[in-house]
Amino acid sequence: MPTQQQVIIVGGGVIGLLTALNLAPHVGHVTLLDRSGLGQESSWAGGGIVSPLYPWRYSAAVTALAHWSQDFYPQLGARLFADTGIDPEVHTTGLYWLDLPDEDEALAWAQRLNRPLSKVDISAAYDGVPVLGGGYRSAVYMANVANVRNPRLVKSLKAALLGQPNVTVREHCEVRGFLRDGQAVVGVNTADGELHGDQVVLTAGAWSGDLLESLGVRLPVEPVKGQMILFKCEADFLPSMVLAKGRYAIPRRDGHILVGSTLEHEGYDKTPTVSALESLKASAVELLPALADAQPVKHWAGLRPGSPEGIPFIGALEGFDGLWLNCGHYRNGLVLAPASCQLFADLMLGREPIIDPAPYAPAGRLAGD
């Protein structure tokens, strides 16, 4: 691709931010647009575990992106900290899964793919996490699982982008449609007027499908609501992440503990609800009984970009020259972001891709194809 290309990226979550950062050194100019503030939707709302919650339940396509990203995250965090002074806090704590109904499948997956997940005696889990609730009977553990403090990751990515001389960031700039020249997409129509570019990249998360409808394209990406709560404890309260019955607790370095999350199909409504708050508090106390005496310091909801099997759409959109997709990561946007955005840059720039791009290609995967 010619180096002086003007690239417009629609959507400023972690996927859009990292896509822009990867492309900026290789193109003429990057303009990143977001309908609200950068990273304020799913990227801000998630827990930041650098692993799918149950990695053995996903397809090889998700696994390939997850493994590449997990290995890359520590150096990404270090690079962003060095460049911006904002530490995304890639915090390696390990993760205990408790009373798994499909423990045998998990262990077989780990052995098949040579991943460091293993069965441990339940006493080891209680030794590793002394505040863990009673009554658990079995545990598996993966030592190298990290979490990233996603609001800080967003801030560091934004700062890194603002330091690039050929990047323009426009927040609170809603994209309402695409500009066409025959079969080519040559820009976007925004609330502030038309903006022309050589390539347009859609990284708009849960809103990606709605934007493509203006082209008559049915992208199977829909909003899926998730609610979380946050506690503040001592810095050493929870030494490892724990997960049971679909709910998890994630420790930050300063003692904040995130507990999540719900899975709700409520359209674009992201109003936190009392019923979810009570359910999450009950899960928190079951996992960590000491939290019974703590009040959540925050409760929020976000919208995940739900997609079939959680496999993102990465690549050019057939029939619309100049339009590209990097969206539909469902529950794993933060997990998969480094690999997804590296793969995307490889495809757009004509480089050898880091992994086989075929499973993520939009062709043949859109509704009605």
Side-chain angles (χ1 to χ4, degrees):
M1 190 177 80
T3 57
Q4 293 309 304
Q5 293 272 300
Q6 308 291 303
V7 179
I8 299 170
I9 298 175
V10 182
V14 165
I15 298 295
L17 288 160
L18 197 48
T19 298
L21 196 61
N22 285 350
L23 290 178
H26 307 286
V27 301
H29 194 272
V30 175
T31 301
L32 178 63
L33 310 174
D34 195 89
R35 59 192 291 277
S36 56
L38 293 183
Q40 295 304 298
E41 296 291 350
S42 183
S43 297
W44 181 89
I49 301 176
V50 185
S51 170
L53 289 185
Y54 300 96
W56 54 90
R57 298 178 187 173
Y58 282 91
S59 68
V62 172
T63 297
L65 292 171
H67 287 180
W68 195 96
S69 293
Q70 286 167 322
D71 294 340
F72 187 75
Y73 248 113
Q75 59 181 288
L76 175 63
R79 170 188 155 200
L80 288 170
F81 190 17
D83 289 349
T84 69
I86 301 170
D87 186 0
E89 295 188 12
V90 179
H91 184 29
T92 302
T93 65
L95 172 59
Y96 288 96
W97 287 267
L98 305 166
D99 291 356
L100 275 174
D102 54 350
E103 182 179 283
D104 290 343
E105 288 86 344
L107 296 171
W109 170 88
Q111 184 173 29
R112 187 169 66 251
L113 296 182
N114 196 30
R115 301 305 287 180
L117 178 149
S118 58
K119 184 175 178 61
V120 297
D121 192 90
I122 191 62
S123 64
Y126 282 104
D127 290 343
V129 186
V131 291
L132 186 63
Y136 294 107
R137 300 177 304 279
S138 65
V140 297
Y141 180 64
M142 188 182 286
N144 67 344
V145 182
N147 66 76
V148 62
R149 196 160 185 168
N150 29 316
R152 294 181 63 88
L153 175 63
V154 167
K155 289 178 183 177
S156 61
L157 286 168
K158 179 179 178 179
L161 276 183
L162 293 177
Q164 302 292 317
N166 65 330
V167 174
T168 300
V169 174
R170 293 176 60 179
E171 299 180 87
H172 306 286
C173 180
E174 183 179 3
V175 171
R176 296 175 172 173
F178 300 94
L179 304 179
R180 302 284 300 277
D181 182 5
Q183 289 297 304
V185 170
V186 295
V188 294
N189 185 26
T190 79
D192 302 326
E194 295 183 352
L195 184 64
H196 292 261
D198 301 299
Q199 311 288 335
V200 176
V201 187
L202 187 58
T203 60
W207 288 264
S208 298
D210 284 0
L211 282 168
L212 284 181
E213 280 186 8
S214 67
L215 297 175
V217 175
R218 292 180 58 219
L219 181 75
V221 172
E222 62 178 358
V224 182
K225 182 177 178 178
Q227 300 191 49
M228 305 272 290
I229 55 175
L230 180 72
F231 295 89
K232 181 66 170 72
C233 303
E234 295 300 319
D236 59 353
F237 172 76
L238 181 62
S240 178
M241 294 181 283
V242 291
L243 192 159
K245 300 180 181 177
R247 296 280 170 86
Y248 51 78
I250 305 169
R252 302 302 197 210
R253 287 178 181 165
D254 64 0
H256 279 102
I257 308 293
L258 286 82
V259 175
S261 66
T262 64
L263 199 65
E264 307 166 60
H265 293 267
E266 301 286 349
Y268 288 99
D269 175 17
K270 56 175 187 174
T271 307
T273 62
V274 173
S275 60
L277 174 63
E278 294 306 317
S279 175
L280 290 167
K281 284 169 65 175
S283 294
V285 171
E286 185 174 359
L287 276 169
L288 307 167
L291 294 180
D293 300 322
Q295 283 299 314
V297 296
K298 201 162 191 176
H299 170 214
W300 66 88
L303 300 174
R304 310 174 184 90
S307 58
E309 298 184 71
I311 301 173
F313 297 85
I314 305 173
L317 186 59
E318 282 190 345
F320 299 90
D321 295 343
L323 182 57
W324 301 73
L325 306 183
N326 191 3
C327 54
H329 294 74
Y330 201 5
R331 305 190 75 173
N332 295 308
L334 285 159
V335 184
L336 307 181
S340 295
C341 298
Q342 183 67 44
L343 175 60
F344 180 86
D346 291 342
L347 294 172
M348 179 174 272
L349 299 171
R351 302 185 304 213
E352 180 70 22
I354 54 165
I355 58 174
D356 179 10
Y360 320 101
R365 297 182 57 214
L366 302 184
D369 274 9

